[in-house]
Amino acid sequence: MMIIMICHFSIIKPVYLGFVLTLFLSPPPLSAGGTRDNPAPPVRKDRIDIFRIIISSAGEKPLFKTGPDDTEILILSQLFEGLVGINPETLQIEPALAASWEVIDDGKIYRFTLGDKRWSDGSPIKAEEFRSSFVRTLNLGLESPASLYLSRFILNGEAYVQGSLTDDELGIRVLPGNVLELEFTRSYPFALNLLTHYAFFLYPPTFFELKFFDFEALAGIRTSGHYHQGVDEKGKVILLSRDQNPEASGPERILLLEVRTHEDGLKLYLEGKADWLTRGALPLEKLYDLDYRYDFDNSAGFMSYFYILNPSRTPLDDPGLRQLLLTSLDREALIDETLRAAQIPSESLVPPSLYRDHRGPSHPLAGLERSGQLFTADPEWQPLIMIYPTDEGHRILAEALISQWEDRGGIPIEGHALDWLDFYKARENGEYHLALGGWSAEYNDPHDFLSLFLTGERRWGSVYTSPEFDRIILEAESLENGSDRRSLQRKAEMVLIEDSLIIPLFFNSLPQLIDRRKWKAGPLRFPGYYSSLKYLHY
C-alpha cells in the first residue's frame, strides 16, 4: 500500500493544488444478494441520436500498468461490462452480462448464470471466457492495479499472482449450464459492488495483446459492453450502440472529441459543440469562473485528506485539546486562500457519496464546537510535533494549518518535513503529535475508510483503540448492504469524530460541465467505473 500512498500524497502542488483521481478504486455501496431475474430494459421512445463528449488526449499509455485515467475508464465502461452493473438513476445493482445469481455459504460464494448474452460479433458469451479474462487480468502481475484489485478479493488470488499457486486453485470456477462461480477471500456485504470495477469486466483475449491503450487498436476487437467502436464519416472516433432497436435506451452514437489542451475543451463546450465536458478535460484554473453556471457540477470525489492526532502522547491525551485542534480550523479559507483548486471542504473521514443516499449530519463537527472552544491551551507547553512529507505542496498546506492553529487556538506547533521513508517510519512508530493522512477509495464502501482505524491497524501507527468503534464496525460487517448497515457505519464514524482522532480537511472533487436538466440517468462517476451511457435519456 505504500506505493499507493506515495501516489496520493505526492500530487499536491503549489498555486493550483489540484488532485488527480487515481483509478484502482471501486464501485458504490449498493444492494447485495439473492437470486435475481433480469428485468426488461427501460423503453425510451426519445432515444438520443448522438451524444458528444469532450475527452482529454489518451496518448499511448501502457495497458493496465497503472490505473486507467478518466478517459480510459469512460471508454472501457462503454465497450465492456461485467457480471453486474450500476443503474445511475436508482443507484442499484442490476444484472449486466449475468442473467441471475445466487448467494452461497453466507455470502462467500456467488454463482452467476450467464444466459444468452453475446459479444459484439454475435458469438455467445461463455462462463469459461469470463474465467479466462479474470486469469489474464491476474497474469498482469504485481505492477498492475487491476491485477492487485482482483487478487485481493478472489480466493487464492494473491498467492496466484505471487506464483505460489496454479490457476486451478483460484476461487474462479465454471459449472455446467454456463454458470460462473466466484469464491471470495471472505464474505463481503458489498461483494456485488466489487464486481462492477473495471478489473472484473469481460475482455477478449485480443484485448490483453494490446501494448498501449489507444483508440485505433480498440476499434479492431470485439466488445462485451453496450457499444462497439468505429469512426464516423469525418474519421472521428465514435462509439456505436450494439442495440439497433429504435426503442432501446442510450444514444445510438457517442462522439468522442479528443482535445489537446483543457482550454480547447472548454472553448468547444462553450460554443455548444459538445454535450459533456468531462473532468479530465476541464481546466482547474477556470473552476471559480464556472461556479455560477447551471450546468457546472463539482461534487466530492473519493479521496479524503486529513491529519491524524496521536492521543498516546502528552498533551494530546487530553480530549479537550484534540477537540480544540479539530474545531479551530477554517476549512473554507484553507481551500480558497491556500489550495485554490478543486477541493471540497470536509468535516468527515468518508466521502459522502460512499454512503449512497448522502443522508446524515451535514455538519458533524457542530456538536464539538462548544466543548472545543472552552478549552484553553497552556502557554508553557512545548510545541506539538507535526510531520508531513517534504513535497512543496505539503509544506504550504502544513504552514497554513500551523498558522490557523496558532492564531485561532493559541496552540504552538513545530512542523517537520521528512522524506517519504522517514515519514512512514515516524508515523508507523507514533513519533508525532500530528501527521498527514489521506486515503483514496479502493472499493466504494465506507468500510474502506473506517477500517483504517480498527484497533491494531498498522497503517497509521496503531494510535487508536476504541472497543465501541470496533464493535460497531464488526456489527456493520455482519449485515447485508442496506440502510441499516450504512446507519451503523455513520455511527462508527461519529465515534471517531467525537474522539477527535482525525482532523478532516478536504475531499478531492469531480468537476464537469453537463446540463443535468436535459440529460437524465448519467453520466455518473464511481471509483474504477463510469456508468454505462446505455442509461442516458432526455
Side-chain angles (χ1 to χ4, degrees):
M1 192 57 63
M2 183 177 294
I3 295 176
I4 294 175
M5 295 307 298
I6 290 175
C7 219
H8 290 171
F9 287 115
S10 62
I11 47 182
I12 302 181
K13 303 296 181 185
V15 184
Y16 292 107
L17 305 179
F19 296 96
V20 179
L21 179 63
T22 52
L23 291 171
F24 36 94
L25 318 175
S26 332
L30 304 170
S31 60
T35 300
R36 181 175 293 178
D37 295 327
N38 191 356
V43 175
R44 306 290 186 195
K45 296 185 181 300
D46 53 353
R47 187 173 189 185
I48 301 164
D49 175 55
I50 189 167
F51 186 71
R52 304 161 300 172
I53 305 175
I54 299 172
I55 60 174
S56 57
S57 177
E60 285 193 346
K61 188 176 180 181
L63 185 70
F64 279 5
K65 290 299 183 182
T66 60
D69 61 22
D70 272 18
T71 294
E72 293 166 343
I73 198 64
L74 168 65
I75 295 172
L76 289 177
S77 298
Q78 311 314 315
L79 299 180
F80 305 101
E81 278 189 307
L83 294 159
V84 294
I86 301 167
N87 184 321
E89 209 157 24
T90 65
L91 290 180
Q92 294 297 309
I93 288 286
E94 290 187 352
L97 297 178
S100 62
W101 59 85
E102 59 178 319
V103 184
I104 302 171
D105 194 14
D106 295 326
K108 188 177 180 182
I109 297 175
Y110 280 69
R111 286 180 182 166
F112 297 89
T113 300
L114 297 187
D116 187 26
K117 301 294 183 177
R118 296 186 177 271
W119 293 93
S120 57
D121 63 3
S123 58
I125 291 176
K126 301 176 181 178
E128 179 56 43
E129 292 176 305
F130 252 111
R131 186 183 187 279
S132 297
S133 179
F134 292 166
V135 171
R136 287 188 176 95
T137 298
L138 289 170
N139 286 340
L140 295 172
L142 297 175
E143 295 181 358
S144 169
S147 176
L148 292 176
Y149 181 88
L150 198 153
S151 67
R152 177 178 178 182
F153 300 108
I154 293 296
L155 181 68
N156 293 331
E158 292 183 344
Y160 174 75
V161 171
Q162 294 167 1
S164 59
L165 293 178
T166 67
D167 61 61
D168 291 335
E169 298 171 276
L170 288 169
I172 309 172
R173 296 178 282 269
V174 175
L175 305 180
N178 208 20
V179 173
L180 181 73
E181 181 176 273
L182 297 181
E183 184 171 357
F184 296 97
T185 53
R186 64 176 177 85
S187 176
Y188 295 101
F190 43 88
L192 293 177
N193 308 331
L194 301 174
L195 299 182
T196 62
H197 191 274
Y198 76 89
F200 283 97
F201 285 177
L202 174 61
Y203 303 103
T206 50
F207 178 81
F208 295 93
E209 297 171 3
L210 301 177
K211 299 297 183 183
F212 298 96
F213 184 100
D214 66 84
F215 295 147
E216 184 176 347
L218 283 173
I221 65 177
R222 60 179 179 169
T223 64
S224 60
H226 196 70
Y227 292 89
H228 63 94
Q229 192 162 303
V231 295
D232 65 6
E233 59 279 2
K234 297 181 181 179
K236 294 183 177 180
V237 173
I238 196 165
L239 304 184
L240 304 172
S241 173
R242 292 172 50 192
D243 192 343
Q244 300 306 312
N245 183 347
E247 293 189 338
S249 62
E252 291 188 50
R253 298 176 295 161
I254 299 172
L255 179 60
L256 301 174
L257 301 170
E258 191 175 7
V259 293
R260 292 185 177 181
T261 69
H262 293 167
E263 290 73 19
D264 290 342
L266 181 59
K267 181 175 183 292
L268 201 62
Y269 182 88
L270 296 179
E271 290 175 349
K273 297 178 180 178
D275 303 297
W276 179 26
L277 177 58
T278 60
R279 177 189 184 276
L282 187 66
L284 291 179
E285 64 269 20
K286 299 292 184 180
L287 294 186
Y288 285 102
D289 297 334
L290 298 171
D291 194 43
Y292 71 94
R293 293 181 60 95
Y294 68 90
D295 53 354
F296 177 68
D297 179 67
N298 191 26
S299 56
F302 301 95
M303 296 172 71
S304 179
Y305 286 84
F306 47 89
Y307 260 80
I308 308 160
L309 299 174
N310 186 352
S312 67
R313 293 193 62 170
T314 304
L316 289 186
D317 54 349
D318 190 321
L321 175 59
R322 300 200 303 272
Q323 287 185 4
L324 181 61
L325 285 163
L326 178 61
T327 58
S328 59
L329 282 183
D330 185 340
R331 292 163 178 78
E332 296 282 354
L334 184 69
I335 290 172
D336 292 344
E337 299 172 9
T338 303
L339 303 182
R340 295 186 292 167
Q343 294 83 9
I344 303 294
S346 67
E347 293 189 3
S348 61
L349 168 68
V350 180
S353 53
L354 266 67
Y355 285 114
R356 196 191 73 181
D357 52 18
H358 293 214
R359 290 194 298 268
S362 56
H363 299 288
L365 300 185
L368 303 179
E369 291 287 350
R370 179 169 298 177
S371 58
Q373 289 172 356
L374 293 176
F375 185 88
T376 302
D378 187 338
E380 300 300 320
W381 279 341
Q382 294 296 315
L384 304 181
I385 302 301
M386 176 177 174
I387 63 171
Y388 53 88
T390 55
D391 304 68
E392 179 71 1
H394 295 314
R395 181 189 63 79
I396 293 173
L397 174 62
E399 290 178 353
L401 290 170
I402 291 172
S403 177
Q404 281 202 24
W405 278 321
E406 290 182 343
D407 294 344
R408 296 165 61 88
I411 306 170
I413 297 177
E414 184 178 290
H416 290 253
L418 306 175
D419 63 39
W420 277 104
L421 183 58
D422 289 339
F423 171 75
Y424 278 116
K425 287 181 178 178
R427 196 172 68 179
E428 183 175 341
N429 294 331
E431 298 170 356
Y432 64 88
H433 289 100
L434 303 97
L436 179 66
W439 197 252
S440 183
E442 295 180 298
Y443 50 92
N444 199 338
D445 188 275
H447 183 269
D448 191 0
F449 287 82
L450 296 172
S451 64
L452 298 174
F453 297 100
L454 287 168
T455 299
E457 173 56 54
R458 296 300 304 170
R459 281 172 285 188
W460 310 110
S462 299
V463 297
Y464 186 56
T465 299
S466 170
E468 176 69 0
F469 178 83
D470 294 348
R471 182 191 64 78
I472 297 172
I473 291 296
L474 294 176
E475 183 181 351
E477 280 303 281
S478 69
L479 300 178
E480 289 189 0
N481 221 355
S483 59
D484 290 344
R485 182 168 178 270
R486 293 193 297 274
S487 295
L488 280 175
Q489 290 173 322
R490 281 200 177 91
K491 183 178 179 181
E493 186 172 8
M494 285 306 300
V495 170
L496 192 66
I497 291 174
E498 289 168 0
D499 284 348
S500 305
L501 178 73
I502 65 167
I503 299 172
L505 298 177
F506 47 82
F507 304 119
N508 74 310
S509 66
L510 304 175
Q512 59 184 341
L513 284 168
I514 183 171
D515 186 353
R516 292 195 179 275
R517 301 180 305 177
K518 179 179 181 181
W519 309 111
K520 308 297 181 183
L524 193 59
R525 176 74 170 82
F526 298 119
Y529 176 86
Y530 258 115
S531 57
S532 173
L533 292 177
K534 68 182 180 182
Y535 295 99
L536 189 70
H537 62 96
Y538 288 111

